[in-house]
Amino acid sequence: MTANEFNTKVVPLSEKLYRYAYRFLEDSDQSQDAVQDVFIKLWNQKDRLAEIENIEAFAVRTTRNHCLDVIKSRRTVSLDVNDYYKDRISDDSDPEKELYKSDSMKKLAEIVEDLTEPH
């Protein structure tokens, strides 16, 4: 596929892909970025696009997969239990409460370590 064919067949889909990405991401900037990333992916596969019968369906599928990847990356959160509890321990706590919190943090850290990767 040449640059001219890409401009006539793929680029006009930008509004449709943006609206589709917005339904997933619910953020204008992220949706625009997603469409731009999809265009880059499609351009890098321009030789393969000539073999595809329905380029629009392929572009929509690529947009969907990219948006799902973005959503999945949002959910990945680094959890440091110690930082969470450090802010909640006051300086004037009595030793018994601090010992309880310390034990709770250790137990919670053990539980988190035992979780499987997706969780």
Side-chain angles (χ1 to χ4, degrees):
M1 176 176 278
T2 65
N4 194 23
E5 289 174 322
F6 188 86
N7 285 334
T8 58
K9 293 181 180 179
V10 178
V11 174
L13 301 173
S14 63
E15 275 300 312
K16 181 175 187 171
L17 297 179
Y18 168 78
R19 288 191 307 272
Y20 191 63
Y22 189 83
R23 286 178 32 204
F24 282 98
L25 302 174
E26 298 176 341
D27 181 84
S28 179
D29 291 335
Q30 283 187 344
S31 300
Q32 290 173 350
D33 290 344
V35 172
Q36 185 175 18
D37 291 341
V38 167
F39 278 164
I40 291 169
K41 287 180 184 181
L42 294 175
W43 176 251
N44 289 335
Q45 298 179 13
K46 65 183 178 287
D47 297 330
R48 185 173 163 222
L49 289 180
E51 302 167 3
I52 296 174
E53 288 181 33
N54 191 343
I55 293 176
E56 181 178 348
F58 184 74
V60 169
R61 171 71 72 138
T62 304
T63 303
R64 176 186 167 271
N65 291 341
H66 181 75
C67 290
L68 292 176
D69 289 342
V70 169
I71 291 169
K72 200 179 297 183
S73 70
R74 281 185 199 163
R75 292 182 183 165
T76 304
V77 176
S78 176
L79 178 63
D80 189 359
V81 176
N82 294 324
D83 289 342
Y84 177 79
Y85 278 108
K86 279 180 190 175
D87 296 338
R88 285 153 182 80
I89 297 175
S90 62
D91 295 332
D92 60 346
S93 295
D94 66 73
E96 186 177 331
K97 284 184 180 179
E98 288 192 34
L99 180 62
Y100 176 77
K101 288 179 184 179
S102 176
D103 289 343
S104 296
M105 287 191 318
K106 287 178 187 175
K107 183 66 177 170
L108 186 56
E110 290 172 9
I111 292 170
V112 170
E113 286 296 318
D114 291 340
L115 289 174
T116 59
E117 184 60 35
H119 298 103

